[in-house]
Amino acid sequence: MSTVGILGGGQLARMLALAGAPLGVRFIVVDNAPDACAGQVAPLLKADWRDFAALEDFAQAVDVATFDFENVPADTAHWLAERTQVFPNPRALAATQDRLAEKNLFRELGLDTPAFAAVDSRADLERVLAAIGCPAVLKTRRLGYDGKGQFRLKSAADVDAAWSALGGVPLILEAWVAFEREVSLVAVRGRNGEFCTYPLVQNWHADGILSASLAPAADTQALTGPALSHARAIAEHLDYVGAFALELFVSDGRLLGNEMAPRVHNSGHWTIEGAVCSQFENHVRAVLGLPLGDTSALGISVMLNWIGELPDALPVLAEPRAHWHDYGKSPRAGRKVGHATLRADGSAEMRERLVSVARALGREAQVAPVIAALAESRSHA
Ligand code: AMP
């Protein structure tokens, strides 16, 4: 019986623990919030990332430590790695914590990115904006997620507002890409180098937060091979172990790297019911050195995120082949509190299900782009 320790006790840790339980794996989650939602399904150690006395007991109790949150301080990851096995390794975690280092790594390994440059002063911002052009987006290099720590500049007149919103910490300015679509690839690498990927997924965001995912994405024959090669190159370069997501823009038919999440990812939640082996089970298998499970999709899945508060569960539960996930969190604006996954064998069936669920929940706007993508798809019969 192995015990996996998870730093971070949110919904990702919760779904990891639920996926690992049938394998006989035990979990301990660490979070400084006493109501961290993974604590409802696994023992919760309430401790701060830098409370090394509390983490000492944790390190002794677990066989392997992993993360549900990428912004665990790098020194905590290094400290833990001296006491227990840590996957993904602290170097991989650190490489993804800084947007500038991450984009430089993508380029070094042959994955194009939007034009970008470091910004450390207001003068830098003016100079770099003149070079990159508008529209552009200013982002904090560290600690940003779900669109937090970002400011969009439509013209040079926005420099003052952007600087007063974010100035004072290391920043990166990126060209704003008028992408055709956003896709992501969830990949898993085992301790012995075994590597597998789930099908490419198309994602839609609202206010910088994932709103819906379609898996597999439609019409991606030309993109799948390159996306897989990029993910493999990054994973091998970092000696990465576990699941991760590569978030990509499709622009003029080409892939551009946006960011990498060194953990299981929201755009992979559909795999719980929509793939043979979920991203969560595969992450647990990977960090424990077990063989990886089959990543094939079972038909088409659409994942709808519930942000802020849960809608009524009943219309979803009444739908055949729909799955409800309530993370057990209290409602709060911008907070991910749950999701639903709908499954179907074909595009027409999926569109029917989406129309019916959206009408019952008053969520027509959330599903509209997914229905449009399915209607235009040549690959989803
Ligand atoms: P991020 O936290 O960087 O993944 O940004 C959240 C979302 O904002 C992305 O998924 C995109 O929808 C959008 N976004 C971020 N950066 C850019 C960019 N350079 N060009 C266009 N859209 C972007």
Side-chain angles (χ1 to χ4, degrees):
M1 169 91 62
S2 302
T3 302
V4 174
I6 309 177
L7 296 182
Q11 67 271 17
L12 301 180
R14 178 181 170 109
M15 289 184 271
L16 283 167
L18 292 171
L23 301 177
V25 179
R26 293 178 183 229
F27 293 84
I28 304 176
V29 296
V30 185
D31 203 298
N32 64 4
D35 61 347
C37 72
Q40 297 163 19
V41 303
L44 172 71
L45 171 66
K46 190 191 153 319
D48 193 83
W49 303 134
R50 293 186 192 275
D51 180 352
F52 293 111
L55 291 177
E56 189 74 63
D57 294 339
F58 169 78
Q60 297 310 320
V62 304
D63 298 295
V64 175
T66 188
F67 311 94
D68 103 325
F69 182 59
E70 60 269 45
N71 290 316
V72 169
D75 49 348
T76 301
H78 283 289
W79 180 92
L80 258 183
E82 285 166 10
R83 287 160 178 80
T84 187
Q85 304 189 87
V86 177
F87 298 116
N89 68 63
R91 183 171 68 93
L93 194 69
T96 60
Q97 285 178 340
D98 177 350
R99 289 185 188 272
L100 185 69
E102 185 177 63
K103 287 211 162 55
N104 279 325
L105 176 68
F106 288 172
R107 291 230 174 148
E108 190 190 313
L109 297 176
L111 171 59
D112 283 344
T113 69
F116 68 90
V119 169
D120 292 316
S121 65
R122 197 183 179 291
D124 276 357
L125 177 56
E126 282 179 14
R127 183 179 48 77
V128 166
L129 186 66
I132 286 181
C134 287
V137 54
L138 187 65
K139 300 181 179 177
T140 56
R141 279 171 54 180
R142 295 179 170 277
L143 301 175
Y145 65 98
D146 284 347
K148 294 185 176 69
Q150 302 195 7
F151 194 102
R152 254 187 94 174
L153 293 97
K154 294 194 187 65
S155 75
D158 293 333
V159 164
D160 277 335
W163 186 253
S164 55
L166 299 179
V169 294
L171 300 167
I172 179 174
L173 186 78
E174 297 174 17
W176 186 261
V177 181
F179 50 74
E180 286 109 57
R181 48 188 176 148
E182 290 195 81
V183 295
S184 60
L185 187 76
V186 173
V188 193
R189 186 165 178 271
R191 276 160 62 166
N192 61 357
E194 184 185 358
F195 181 80
C196 58
T197 58
Y198 289 91
L200 267 178
V201 171
Q202 181 167 0
N203 301 312
W204 290 268
H205 291 79
D207 299 326
I209 306 179
L210 186 66
S211 167
S213 296
L214 166 64
D219 305 323
T220 49
Q221 295 83 341
L223 302 174
T224 297
L228 187 150
S229 309
H230 291 308
R232 185 194 284 266
I234 294 165
E236 287 178 356
H237 178 85
L238 296 172
D239 193 19
Y240 193 95
V241 172
F244 65 97
L246 197 52
E247 295 181 49
L248 302 153
F249 300 139
V250 183
S251 175
D252 295 327
R254 288 185 323 126
L255 294 174
L256 296 178
N258 175 31
E259 66 177 342
M260 170 178 168
R263 50 171 169 75
V264 286
H265 191 251
N266 199 168
S267 69
H269 289 2
W270 66 275
T271 61
I272 297 174
E273 297 91 5
V276 177
C277 182
S278 77
Q279 63 164 351
F280 299 100
E281 179 173 338
N282 257 335
H283 183 74
V284 173
R285 289 183 184 218
V287 300
L288 288 174
L290 301 170
L292 302 183
D294 186 348
T295 52
S296 308
L298 304 164
I300 305 176
S301 297
V302 170
M303 192 276 321
L304 300 173
N305 250 0
W306 308 136
I307 311 293
E309 59 181 350
L310 290 171
D312 183 5
L314 291 183
V316 175
L317 294 173
E319 198 64 36
R321 304 177 79 189
H323 303 271
W324 182 256
H325 293 262
D326 173 346
Y327 303 152
K329 292 159 90 170
S330 46
R332 191 168 71 211
R335 193 178 209 198
K336 292 175 176 172
V337 291
H339 75 268
T341 299
L342 309 187
R343 291 186 50 216
D345 290 326
S347 166
E349 182 192 345
M350 179 58 85
R351 279 181 282 160
E352 262 174 45
R353 291 198 196 296
L354 285 170
V355 167
S356 134
V357 165
R359 193 176 293 143
L361 301 180
R363 297 277 180 151
E364 287 87 349
Q366 187 174 1
V367 304
V370 189
I371 291 176
L374 282 165
E376 285 166 20
S377 164
R378 278 165 278 116
S379 58
H380 290 322

